Amino acid sequence: MKLVLAIALAAVPLASGELLKHVRERFILLQDHPFIADRAGSEKEDPQFTVEAATKALESLPEVPTTPDRNIFAPIHRALIRVHAGVYDEKKVRAELEHILKTNDVVFFSWGACPASMKTRYYLKQAGASFKEFELDEMEEGGLPLRRELSKYLGRTTIPAVFVHGRYIGGCHDGPLGAGVHKLHKEGKLHKLVNLARMSPPAEPDDIAFPG
């Protein structure tokens, strides 16, 4: 019974329908409501987290993410992602993922009505980030295969995922810097990190390593 329930819960993000889209639309409308905005709070920059500190923090991150998925439902998620991705050209989709990370300073992979994706989008906007978003479940084609290749690359199945200069800085609540986008925002560090892209050139193609 527990296994059936786990599979059902894990399938919800992959089976978003009109109800989830409706919830998402309502959430987007509420994000700008004064009460919601006040509760969320705007980022107050940490004066000790300078541009130099942000640069060092970003450079300390591995070129290939090493953030294993500790979610107990990860095996089920991986199986569902594989099934929904179907048959596709893995090399072609991996090349597409590589191209996305190499040619965009800040990349945000999201998933429709996922609350964590909504929150991450909100915090990125609050931080003044100029980012390229890929809403994997809303893409006309290729979104599900791209999600599978992303999960294989990250070693985890959870969405959202934010990259700066090709380096994974985290999801909403966790990441390699000891915190996700939410906490980085609250600590006043997110603004510096996501805007490093405006202060330095994009990563060169050879600067990003991908596992085989």
Side-chain angles (χ1 to χ4, degrees):
M1 182 63 184
K2 290 183 178 180
L3 179 60
V4 173
L5 179 60
I7 293 175
L9 290 174
V12 168
L14 293 172
S16 58
E18 293 302 318
L19 177 60
L20 290 180
K21 289 182 180 180
H22 176 76
V23 171
R24 179 189 174 215
E25 291 171 358
R26 299 284 74 76
F27 186 89
I28 291 173
L29 290 174
L30 284 172
Q31 280 186 351
D32 294 326
H33 190 282
F35 177 73
I36 300 295
D38 289 343
R39 287 290 294 267
S42 58
E43 181 181 37
K44 295 181 180 179
E45 289 190 42
D46 180 354
Q48 296 183 343
F49 195 69
T50 61
V51 173
E52 291 74 16
T55 301
K56 288 182 179 179
L58 189 64
E59 290 177 346
S60 72
L61 298 177
E63 293 181 352
V64 177
T66 54
T67 53
D69 202 335
R70 296 182 176 86
N71 187 334
I72 62 173
F73 298 123
I76 298 174
H77 288 165
R78 281 194 289 270
L80 288 169
I81 290 171
R82 183 173 63 251
V83 170
H84 282 266
V87 178
Y88 64 93
D89 187 331
E90 293 186 17
K91 290 185 178 180
K92 180 179 179 181
V93 177
R94 174 57 65 89
E96 179 185 355
L97 174 61
E98 181 177 352
H99 178 75
I100 289 171
L101 296 182
K102 288 176 180 176
T103 57
N104 294 280
D105 291 327
V106 181
V107 180
F108 169 40
F109 293 101
S110 65
W111 189 265
C114 166
S117 291
M118 297 177 191
K119 290 179 182 178
T120 300
R121 183 184 301 109
Y122 177 80
Y123 293 129
L124 288 173
K125 289 181 177 180
Q126 286 286 301
S130 177
F131 59 91
K132 178 71 172 180
E133 179 174 359
F134 293 86
E135 203 166 356
L136 298 173
D137 61 326
E138 296 291 339
M139 294 173 64
E140 291 186 4
E141 60 180 35
L144 297 180
L146 184 59
R147 181 182 183 181
R148 188 185 179 209
E149 288 304 309
L150 177 64
S151 69
K152 287 164 58 180
Y153 174 62
L154 288 175
R156 59 192 297 121
T157 60
T158 53
I159 296 290
V162 179
F163 292 79
V164 176
H165 286 267
R167 304 207 181 193
Y168 175 66
I169 68 166
C172 185
H173 298 294
D174 61 352
L177 293 174
V181 170
H182 173 250
K183 190 174 181 181
L184 290 171
H185 172 81
K186 292 298 182 182
E187 292 179 345
K189 298 177 180 179
L190 184 61
H191 173 78
K192 286 287 196 318
L193 282 169
V194 296
N195 285 290
L196 283 175
R198 299 180 184 179
M199 304 169 189
S200 56
E204 292 296 327
D206 293 340
D207 290 343
I208 305 174
F210 284 79

